[in-house]
Amino acid sequence: MSRLFGSREEARALAAERRQVLEALNGGALTGPAVMRRISETSGAAAAPGDESLLYPALHSLEAEWRLTATWQSDAQGKPRRSYRRRRLLGR
Amino acid sequence: MIILLGYFGGLAAFLVATVLVVRRSERRLGGYTPRASAASRLETDDPVSAYLDRMTAELRLPAADVAEVRAELADHLADSIASLEGEGLETDGAIREALARLGSADELARQLRAAHQSTRRLLAGVGGGVFAGAGGFVIGYYGGFFLLLLLALVVYAVAAVLSAIGIPLPDLSGGDRTGGTFNSLLLAFSVAIAAGTATRYAVRTSAGLSRHAPRSVAGFWAVALGLGFGAVALFGVRGPQGWPGVAAEACIPVAAVGAALFRIDRPMPHVGRWALVLGLLAIVGSVSVLMLGALAFTTVSSGSSSDQATSYQLPDMHFDTVAPAAPTTWLPNGSLNDGVWSWSDSTGPRLNVSFVAGEGGVPPATVLANWRAIRFEAWHIMPFGNPGPPAVDTQYSSPFAIQPATQEGTDLNATFHFEKMRSAGSWEIFITAIGPDGVRYRLYDCGGGESTFNGSAWDWLTAAQ
């Protein structure tokens, strides 16, 4: 966990977001919006303001801790998009 | 041979690794062209651009990270807006909703900054900074050394040309014939350049690896390396010393602090192929000129060996300034044997002089019994390079150093540390002692030499005159 995430509630919320992100990425590489959609599908809750505020902090902190790898890849339309994949000690 | 190859191979590998680490960090710090300039439609769209501008302004991360975060969030917003429009929202409403879901731009920037600047990356930054700093020191030291050597050679060449065409030049050597001043300046400025390079490498590499802006870590490195190199300048740089050398050594911590703080956000200069080729040529050129110079010096020295030696009469030497010569009644001729010298720049001259049976077979013990308070005295003499005899310098009325003779049987010993005296210069050592009449006499002239101060800046500052 990073050392600068303010209050205990913030840290707890971020930890929960990180768990959800890791679960969402169990299936393979996903972009940020795709991770968000996967989390929404799993929780079944309707989207609300601020819902996505912790998505990128969670993704980037996991990447900084080498638990995720991020790569820029072009999609079908040739648009570069950043996708995340879980880093595993032994490849799948 | 294998050890030598291992040494140079290891050094080369270390330097290559340093350059790779620094380049990696430089790529992170700046000069980055975002590959993902996604959602260009959105970046011209006011509310989204304003949100992204505000967020990136608060990020305070290296340029590459800022560009990547911006591109990724622009892509996310484009996706989100398109999705909301697909659900039936108007474009304005979709934009408002997408931005609201991401929350406050300031808060998002703060959270992202904290995410990027993880403890692990901070440790990697410190480690990388130390590694790059060490490599930068080696690169800066050798680079600076050859640069300064080349500069000195150019100055010498210009001076030689000016001298040859009859233009008088001032003597900048300060009377130093040993080259000690030049050597200490060369060493100190080389280390100063190395300190500057090491600090620059450390700051920018640690910033890149820990995802901090260089300015935010520069203060730490300025203090740490300023103190470290300050200690090196004061205690670590050893060799011939003098006020010019000490002044140059004071530049070492200044160079480190200056390199950490001065325009630290500017990228490191790119070392291209031609810079490497020119650097190599400079090294080869310097070494070649030095070798040719040494060869010419050897030839001139061996050619001048037929010079007639000059002999001087004893009164020319002003030995009576030291003390009157000992009467032969109490010190028969030949009572003292030639001194044995052991000498090194780091320990100074150590003398060993023996009493032997003198003229008429007077035994050493009898001669010794005539003398008390036997001591070695070091006197300044006229510099060896001056015309005329190396006589005792009569402007001094007392020795500049005295060592009581350590008596071991009939041997007299003493060790002088001229290398720890600021102004030993040219000197002559005499043995003096008090005779039966209570007068101090000159027993023996042990010979002379020339010394330069050898030690650290601290040794110089705390040394006796």
Side-chain angles (χ1 to χ4, degrees):
Chain A
M1 177 71 61
S2 184
R3 66 210 147 85
L4 291 174
F5 286 109
S7 68
R8 188 169 295 181
E9 289 73 24
E10 267 183 41
R12 207 172 289 149
L14 185 73
E17 185 80 10
R18 283 157 53 99
R19 272 196 301 278
Q20 288 180 315
V21 163
L22 286 173
E23 279 168 23
L25 285 169
N26 270 335
L30 293 174
T31 62
V35 171
M36 197 67 238
R37 272 193 292 276
R38 180 75 57 87
I39 292 172
S40 300
E41 285 165 14
T42 309
S43 68
D51 268 5
E52 298 169 8
S53 63
L54 289 177
L55 172 64
Y56 288 97
L59 283 167
H60 288 207
S61 66
L62 288 166
E63 188 202 353
E65 291 172 15
W66 301 341
R67 296 178 69 181
L68 299 182
T69 55
T71 49
W72 285 96
Q73 286 174 334
S74 297
D75 64 6
Q77 288 81 44
K79 196 166 103 176
R81 310 194 74 177
R82 198 168 200 223
S83 63
Y84 296 86
R85 178 187 293 277
R86 285 189 76 157
R87 189 191 288 267
R88 295 182 192 281
L89 189 62
L90 300 172
R92 286 153 66 95
Chain B
M1 187 64 184
I2 291 173
I3 293 173
L4 206 64
L5 278 175
Y7 172 78
F8 283 110
L11 185 66
F14 172 57
L15 295 182
V16 167
T18 300
V19 170
L20 291 178
V21 168
V22 172
R23 278 192 175 177
R24 181 189 167 93
S25 173
E26 284 299 304
R27 277 199 297 274
R28 177 85 13 216
L29 285 177
Y32 174 81
T33 308
R35 288 173 294 174
S37 56
S40 55
R41 180 181 67 85
L42 283 170
E43 289 185 17
T44 56
D45 195 15
D46 276 343
V48 173
S49 291
Y51 181 90
L52 292 174
D53 287 345
R54 188 174 177 87
M55 188 272 301
T56 51
E58 289 298 314
L59 266 180
R60 296 201 293 274
L61 292 174
D65 289 274
V66 171
E68 281 187 348
V69 168
R70 185 183 176 103
E72 186 176 21
L73 286 176
D75 177 49
H76 175 92
L77 284 168
D79 191 284
S80 188
I81 290 165
S83 170
L84 288 165
E85 282 176 338
E87 289 170 16
L89 280 180
E90 293 293 320
T91 302
D92 287 350
I95 290 172
R96 268 198 307 277
E97 176 63 19
L99 291 177
R101 286 182 184 180
L102 275 180
S104 140
D106 291 350
E107 184 58 22
L108 182 59
R110 187 182 69 79
Q111 299 256 25
L112 282 169
R113 184 168 64 249
H116 277 246
Q117 296 172 348
S118 67
T119 305
R120 192 171 294 200
R121 279 182 176 164
L122 186 69
L123 292 174
V126 172
V130 170
F131 183 82
F137 186 87
V138 176
I139 291 170
Y141 181 78
Y142 285 109
F145 178 81
F146 282 107
L147 198 72
L148 291 168
L149 201 60
L150 202 63
L151 190 69
L153 288 173
V154 169
V155 170
Y156 273 115
V158 170
V161 169
L162 291 177
S163 176
I165 59 175
I167 296 175
L169 295 169
D171 179 14
L172 298 176
S173 69
D176 174 18
R177 297 186 322 106
T178 62
T181 306
F182 173 78
N183 288 340
S184 64
L185 288 176
L186 184 64
L187 177 65
F189 283 127
S190 298
V191 177
I193 292 171
T197 313
T199 309
R200 201 82 177 172
Y201 274 35
V203 172
R204 291 194 59 86
T205 303
S206 68
L209 295 180
S210 68
R211 305 296 203 274
H212 282 76
R215 258 175 306 170
S216 62
V217 297
F220 164 77
W221 286 106
V223 171
L225 293 184
L227 288 173
F229 281 117
V232 167
L234 204 53
F235 305 110
V237 181
R238 307 184 74 84
Q241 285 288 356
W243 285 116
V246 170
E249 280 151 17
C251 296
I252 294 171
V254 174
V257 173
L261 301 177
F262 183 69
R263 292 186 174 183
I264 193 63
D265 286 322
R266 296 186 71 172
M268 301 277 283
H270 179 66
V271 181
R273 193 179 304 157
W274 284 109
L276 285 175
V277 170
L278 282 176
L280 200 65
L281 280 177
I283 291 172
V284 172
S286 306
V287 172
S288 307
V289 171
L290 277 180
M291 286 174 73
L292 284 174
L295 194 68
F297 179 76
T298 311
T299 311
V300 169
S301 301
S302 61
S304 63
S305 61
S306 60
D307 289 350
Q308 291 292 315
T310 313
S311 61
Y312 298 103
Q313 297 301 310
L314 203 55
D316 298 336
M317 309 297 278
H318 304 301
F319 283 178
D320 282 341
T321 309
V322 176
T328 51
T329 320
W330 300 324
L331 187 74
N333 285 336
S335 298
L336 279 163
N337 203 15
D338 273 349
V340 176
W341 296 62
S342 52
W343 178 296
S344 87
D345 278 347
S346 58
T347 61
R350 177 179 164 79
L351 303 180
N352 176 279
V353 179
S354 300
F355 275 94
V356 293
E359 211 169 60
V362 182
T366 309
V367 179
L368 260 172
N370 292 326
W371 303 100
R372 61 192 171 84
I374 304 173
R375 69 189 195 189
F376 289 78
E377 296 182 4
W379 286 73
H380 287 299
I381 60 172
M382 303 307 289
F384 282 118
N386 282 14
V392 171
D393 192 341
T394 51
Q395 69 170 311
Y396 298 99
S397 58
S398 59
F400 70 91
I402 294 172
Q403 288 290 334
T406 309
Q407 194 175 330
E408 291 169 12
T410 55
D411 283 357
L412 301 176
N413 303 310
T415 301
F416 284 92
H417 286 285
F418 297 138
E419 84 286 357
K420 292 285 179 276
M421 292 179 188
R422 282 186 194 167
S423 54
S426 300
W427 44 264
E428 189 92 2
I429 293 176
F430 300 91
I431 300 176
T432 68
I434 297 173
D437 59 354
V439 173
R440 181 167 287 279
Y441 290 98
R442 190 180 80 245
L443 272 56
Y444 191 68
D445 166 26
C446 303
E450 193 172 43
S451 296
T452 50
F453 190 95
N454 196 306
S456 66
W458 176 257
D459 293 335
W460 173 266
L461 293 170
T462 56
Q465 284 297 320

